[in-house]
């Protein structure tokens, strides 16, 4: 049946048929009602599951890698290490996301010529192999060799993860007929669950059996998911990019729009925020509450639950009820939530609060709401900006949005562990999180002012054009 062919159901085709009424007069362009077949739902389900497993696998090492690396360096158990030692560890944790940042836009360009199903399957297999390689690194006694091999494997892992995400975004967005908010809602649900389950499960497996077991388990899960991708994705999905991205695009055209940089910077800051806290939180719990790494995993699990549950409703709300040009207001609210969470996790020195495990968990819940509210509207806001500047149809800008979004988020996740490790080692956990909280508040203010000024200018330009046309 025609509705089962995913590549034939995208807004560019349907909108073209809906732009004329019976008398041939033009009317307002609307996004058609979604009527998804079982095949569409199967594709979305497998894509979300794939993202969940991939994000779980790449975050398994978060609760225990810092301590493992410090042990390799001969640092005493009651010490957090020097600034230079923490800088090296931050590089290992962040290098994969720097690789994602550099490769995601290039992957988006390549999707015009490479089928998305093939890229998705190959990237999943690559991540599987890299996880299994990582499992044997603990047997290396020399810390310099250990760190060097970790950097190499994590770099390749970042490239494979970028290819995996961009192809997943493209396939899911095609199945959802170009609804950017709902697409990001599905992917944030899978990704959020993965980012929470990974550290929680990784910490439990590490405490149970040591360094190798988390990577054996993640490799097995990834391989199983790859088999599901091969079986569940029909041939039509493999052509979704090649048939819809006939128009080439230039990143120079996209990035010369100032508002694009503002939206990407908001996504960058949100992802930097959680990346900043993650690697240091385990040591913070150990030093202040004498708790094992599993308790940090519980906080990450709470983060993922609070992050994932509202993702779909929020994405649906943005697509159906919130004008795309006002999606940035949700991002401003997200930055404020991030700031409050950062000020509470320490807690900040000016707050009349005592540090406690419960307060730390509440701050993680606020961080989850903040990061979700800031990241999820990024795609709709970019889509609205690109289309308002005449840079392509929804099908043509699908991969560029995925590439730019993943690049900004990956850069934040890469800078977060690096800056967090150095800042915490030099000024302490409380002062470091307090400083980043103020940075979030400052950018939220600037972002809100820029958005209001830009929207007012757009309204004035529209009114002026209407007056000129009327004359």
């Amino acid at each position: 049946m025609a509705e089962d062919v995913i590549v034939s159901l995208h807004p560019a085709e349907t909108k073209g048929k809906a732009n004329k009424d019976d008398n041939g007069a033009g009317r307002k362009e609307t996004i058609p009602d979604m009527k998804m077949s079982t095949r569409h739902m199967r594709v979305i389900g497998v894509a979300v599951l794939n993202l969940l497993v991939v994000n779980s696998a790449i975050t398994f090492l978060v609760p225990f890698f810092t301590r493992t690396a410090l042990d390799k360096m001969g640092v005493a158990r009651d010490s957090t290490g020097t600034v230079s030692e923490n800088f090296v560890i931050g590089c290992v944790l962040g290098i994969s996301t720097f690789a994602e940042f550099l490769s995601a836009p290039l992957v988006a360009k390549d999707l015009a010529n490479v089928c998305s199903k093939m890229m998705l399957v190959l990237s999943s297999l690559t991540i599987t192999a890299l996880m299994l390689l990582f499992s044997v690194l603990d047997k290396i006694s020399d810390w310099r060799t250990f760190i060097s091999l970790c950097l190499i494997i994590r770099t390749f892992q970042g490239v494979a993860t970028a290819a995996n995400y961009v192809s997943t975004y493209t396939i899911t967005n095609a199945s959802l007929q170009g609804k950017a908010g709902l697409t990001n809602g599905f992917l944030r649900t899978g990704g959020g669950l993965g980012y929470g389950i990974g550290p929680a499960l990784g910490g439990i497996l590490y405490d149970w059996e040591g360094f190798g077991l988390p990577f054996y388990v993640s490799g097995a899960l990834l391989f199983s998911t790859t088999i599901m991708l091969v079986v569940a994705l029909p041939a039509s999905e493999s052509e979704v990019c090649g048939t819809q991205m006939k128009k080439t695009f230039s990143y120079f055209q996209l990035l010369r729009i100032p508002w694009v940089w503002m939206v990407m910077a908001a996504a960058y800051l949100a992802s930097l925020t959680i990346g900043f806290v993650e690697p240091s939180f385990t040591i913070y719990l150990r030093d202040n509450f004498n708790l094992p790494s599993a308790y940090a995993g519980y906080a990450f699990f709470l983060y993922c639950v609070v992050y994932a549950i509202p993702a779909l409703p929020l994405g649906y709300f943005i697509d159906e009820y919130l004008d795309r040009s006002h999606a940035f207001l949700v991002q401003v609210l997200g930055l404020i939530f991030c700031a409050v969470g950062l000020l509470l996790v320490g807690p900040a020195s000016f707050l009349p609060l005592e540090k406690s495990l419960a307060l730390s968990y509440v701050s993680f819940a606020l961080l989850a709401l903040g990061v979700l509210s800031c990241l999820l509207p990024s795609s709709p806001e970019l889509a609205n900006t690109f289309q308002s500047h005449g840079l392509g149809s929804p099908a043509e800008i699908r991969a560029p949005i995925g590439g730019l979004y993943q690049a900004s988020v990956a850069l934040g996740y890469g800078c977060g562990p690096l800056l967090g490790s150095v800042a915490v080692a030099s000024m302490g956990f409380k002062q470091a999180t307090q400083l980043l909280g103020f940075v979030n508040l400052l950018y939220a203010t600037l972002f809100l002012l820029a958005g209001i000024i830009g929207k007012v200018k757009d309204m004035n330009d529209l009114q002026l054009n209407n007056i000129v046309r009327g004359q």
Side-chain angles (χ1 to χ4, degrees):
M1 294 177 62
E3 67 173 0
D4 287 336
V5 181
I6 289 181
V7 294
S8 68
L9 293 176
H10 57 88
E13 294 179 0
T14 316
K15 286 181 179 178
K17 297 176 182 178
N19 281 343
K20 299 286 184 180
D21 59 20
D22 294 335
N23 297 323
R27 66 182 185 184
K28 186 177 179 179
E29 190 173 71
T30 58
I31 295 178
D33 293 334
M34 293 179 59
K35 296 180 180 179
M36 293 190 295
S37 66
T38 303
R39 177 178 291 184
H40 287 91
M41 295 304 298
R42 184 180 69 200
V43 169
I44 294 169
V46 173
V48 171
L49 177 63
N50 166 72
L51 198 60
L52 187 154
V53 174
V54 168
N55 285 0
S56 296
I58 63 178
T59 55
F60 264 36
L61 80 170
V62 169
F64 58 84
F65 182 80
T66 298
R67 187 66 258 170
T68 301
L70 289 174
D71 289 343
K72 293 281 185 184
M73 296 175 182
V75 177
R77 279 275 171 173
D78 58 350
S79 173
T80 58
T82 64
V83 173
S84 60
E85 288 166 342
N86 281 276
F87 177 81
V88 171
I89 294 171
C91 286
V92 173
L93 294 173
I95 192 68
S96 64
T97 46
F98 279 117
E100 285 184 55
F101 161 69
L102 294 173
S103 57
L106 300 177
V107 169
K109 292 281 286 186
D110 289 340
L111 275 179
N113 303 310
V114 180
C115 68
S116 53
K117 179 181 177 180
M118 179 184 297
M119 183 173 288
L120 187 57
V121 170
L122 290 178
S123 61
S124 295
L125 286 174
T126 302
I127 298 172
T128 302
L130 293 172
M131 286 294 105
L132 296 177
L133 282 175
F134 213 100
S135 67
V136 301
L137 294 185
D138 189 47
K139 302 183 185 302
I140 300 172
S141 57
D142 180 62
W143 73 267
R144 293 178 181 83
T145 306
F146 172 77
I147 292 295
S148 299
L149 291 176
C150 286
L151 287 169
I152 293 172
I153 292 176
R154 293 278 288 175
T155 300
F156 283 104
Q157 183 188 89
V159 176
T161 303
N164 191 280
Y165 177 83
V166 175
S167 52
T168 301
Y169 179 90
T170 306
I171 290 173
T172 307
N173 190 256
S175 299
L176 290 171
Q177 305 179 38
K179 289 180 177 288
L182 199 55
T183 299
N184 235 6
F186 273 109
L187 298 187
R188 291 303 95 199
T189 299
L193 288 173
Y195 278 126
I197 292 173
L201 185 57
I204 293 171
L205 293 174
Y206 176 79
D207 289 339
W208 183 22
E209 198 64 31
F211 187 87
L213 185 60
F215 300 103
Y216 300 145
V217 172
S218 62
L221 290 173
L222 282 164
F223 186 71
S224 301
T225 307
T226 304
I227 294 175
M228 291 182 63
L229 291 173
V230 174
V231 174
L233 292 183
S236 58
E237 272 73 48
S238 67
E239 301 300 326
V240 66
C241 297
T243 56
Q244 293 187 0
M245 286 184 56
K246 294 178 181 178
K247 178 182 177 180
T248 58
F249 63 89
S250 168
Y251 279 115
F252 175 76
Q253 287 183 308
L254 305 182
L255 295 177
R256 68 182 181 181
I257 305 171
W259 185 243
V260 171
W261 287 98
M262 295 289 292
V263 174
M264 291 172 60
Y268 162 79
L269 184 57
S271 56
L272 179 142
T273 295
I274 189 60
F276 187 96
V277 174
E278 276 183 345
S280 305
F281 189 66
T282 302
I283 298 177
Y284 170 77
L285 289 183
R286 187 201 67 198
D287 293 345
N288 289 275
F289 306 107
N290 196 28
L291 294 172
S293 58
Y295 279 82
Y298 300 151
F300 298 139
F301 182 74
L302 172 66
Y303 170 90
C304 91
V305 171
V306 178
Y307 183 98
I309 289 176
L312 272 177
L314 182 58
Y316 181 81
F317 170 77
I318 291 173
D319 277 336
E320 299 297 331
Y321 298 105
L322 186 64
D323 188 334
R324 275 185 174 181
S325 63
H326 298 119
F328 79 99
L329 295 174
V330 181
Q331 292 183 279
V332 172
L333 183 63
L335 291 170
I336 294 173
F337 276 135
C338 285
V340 174
L342 287 166
L343 295 176
L344 288 178
V345 70
S349 55
F350 61 87
L351 294 177
L353 298 171
E354 294 293 330
K355 65 179 66 173
S356 68
L357 185 62
L359 185 62
S360 298
Y361 283 2
V362 169
S363 67
F364 256 71
L366 289 172
L367 286 174
L369 289 175
V371 174
L372 173 66
S373 301
C374 197
L375 294 185
L376 200 149
S378 300
S379 296
E381 189 67 39
L382 288 175
N384 175 70
T385 303
F386 293 166
Q387 289 182 266
S388 65
H389 284 76
L391 296 179
S393 68
E396 291 166 340
I397 63 176
R398 185 172 293 140
I401 288 175
L404 290 177
Y405 170 84
Q406 185 63 10
S408 54
V409 171
L411 182 61
Y413 280 131
C415 292
L418 184 62
L419 295 177
S421 298
V422 174
V424 170
S426 59
M427 67 178 68
F429 186 82
K430 177 187 289 189
Q431 287 74 21
T433 52
Q434 180 177 316
L435 176 61
L436 185 57
F438 286 136
V439 171
N440 273 268
L441 282 177
L442 176 61
Y443 190 74
T445 304
L446 295 176
F447 193 44
L448 177 62
L449 292 176
I452 292 174
I453 293 172
K455 303 308 175 185
V456 170
K457 182 178 181 299
D458 290 342
M459 290 176 62
N460 291 336
D461 291 343
L462 180 61
Q463 291 176 352
L464 181 61
N465 289 336
N466 290 336
I467 292 175
V468 172
R469 289 176 182 176
Q471 295 175 346

